[in-house]
């Protein structure tokens, strides 16, 4: 019986993985991918930056032409809706809704790390240009 | 009396080990999550461009992990 318990424990341990191939996650990913081409110039100009909580925000509205400000705001808000849904879906899809905050923190870290030079990333002490 | 003494560990040891089974599967798999995040970020930001390296098989044909 203890052997069985031990085996179960090690199996449970080995099974600790993250599933991201769900329809919901794929749909959000595709939507973000399509938006990225529009957002990229604003990341590069520093108008939009990556926040500490795994979202994006308008860092410097002055870096955006007046005519484009409305569209930037729309892009940022749509992107954040997708990102929030993504973190939630990954947690739910793995049967652990309570993991959402940790999923978000993991993503925040990875977005910041993988951001190309010239983009702005929010650190513990404010905005930093990579 | 002796019978009861033998029964004690049989009754109580599972009570010690069973919670371990329950909690062991609830910890957040940080390393796996990091790998999953990297995969999604590469896709969203299109960081893995085929022209930089040997052409990759398209995602759809890649076996699911």
């Amino acid at each position: 019986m203890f052997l069985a318990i031990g085996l179960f424990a090690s199996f449970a341990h080995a099974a600790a993985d993250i599933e991201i191939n769900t329809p919901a996650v794929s749909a959000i990913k595709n939507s973000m991918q399509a938006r990225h081409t529009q957002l990229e110039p604003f990341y590069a100009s520093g108008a939009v930056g990556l926040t500490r909580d795994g979202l994006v925000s308008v860092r410097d509205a002055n870096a955006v032409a007046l005519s484009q400000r409305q569209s930037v705001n729309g892009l940022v808000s749509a992107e954040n809706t997708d990102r929030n849904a993504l973190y939630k879906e990954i947690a739910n899809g793995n049967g652990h809704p309570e993991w959402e905050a940790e999923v978000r923190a993991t993503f925040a870290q990875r977005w910041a790390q993988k951001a190309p030079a010239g983009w702005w990333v929010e650190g513990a002490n404010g905005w930093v240009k990579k | 009396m002796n019978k009861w003494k033998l029964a004690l560990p049989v009754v109580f040891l599972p009570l010690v080990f069973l919670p371990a089974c329950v909690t062991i599967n609830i910890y957040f798999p940080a390393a796996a999550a990091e790998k999953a995040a990297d995969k999604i970020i590469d896709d969203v930001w299109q960081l893995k461009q085929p022209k930089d390296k040997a052409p990759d098989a398209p995602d759809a044909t890649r076996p699911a992990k």
Side-chain angles (χ1 to χ4, degrees):
Chain A
M1 174 168 144
F2 291 122
L3 186 69
I5 291 172
L7 280 174
F8 173 74
S10 59
F11 171 77
H13 205 281
D17 204 351
I18 292 272
E19 177 58 57
I20 51 172
N21 295 322
T22 64
V25 169
S26 295
I28 298 165
K29 197 170 76 174
N30 291 340
S31 148
M32 288 169 77
Q33 193 177 44
R35 191 180 303 109
H36 182 66
T37 43
Q38 294 172 274
L39 271 171
E40 196 168 15
F42 297 114
Y43 291 138
S45 72
V48 175
L50 307 169
T51 69
R52 289 178 67 194
D53 55 358
L55 299 174
V56 298
S57 78
V58 178
R59 215 196 100 252
D60 182 9
N62 295 326
V64 185
L66 216 49
S67 60
Q68 288 190 301
R69 278 185 202 172
Q70 212 170 348
S71 90
V72 171
N73 287 334
L75 286 169
V76 164
S77 122
E79 175 73 5
N80 286 338
T81 302
D82 272 354
R83 286 182 176 219
N84 286 325
L86 178 71
Y87 307 148
K88 202 188 191 78
E89 282 302 335
I90 291 175
N92 289 348
N94 285 278
H96 287 283
E98 76 278 8
W99 283 355
E100 192 187 329
E102 280 164 302
V103 170
R104 176 186 297 275
T106 304
F107 267 87
Q109 216 176 41
R110 302 309 295 159
W111 290 119
Q113 203 137 49
K114 283 174 159 279
W119 290 22
W120 286 78
V121 170
E122 190 186 18
N125 305 314
W127 290 102
V128 179
K129 188 179 186 177
K130 283 197 72 175
Chain B
M1 195 64 175
N2 255 347
K3 249 191 234 171
W4 288 115
K5 270 192 183 157
L6 276 174
L8 275 179
V10 174
V11 172
F12 285 106
L13 274 174
L15 292 181
V16 173
F17 283 103
L18 275 171
C21 281
V22 175
T23 52
I24 202 156
N25 206 20
I26 293 183
Y27 84 102
F28 178 70
E34 213 163 280
K35 268 189 5 202
D38 283 356
K39 168 102 184 57
I40 288 174
I41 293 169
D42 287 348
D43 285 352
V44 169
W45 283 354
Q46 292 145 57
L47 295 175
K48 297 241 153 84
Q49 275 150 10
K51 65 178 181 207
D52 294 341
K53 44 159 88 172
D56 256 347
D59 265 0
T61 61
R62 204 174 287 165
K65 198 167 56 94

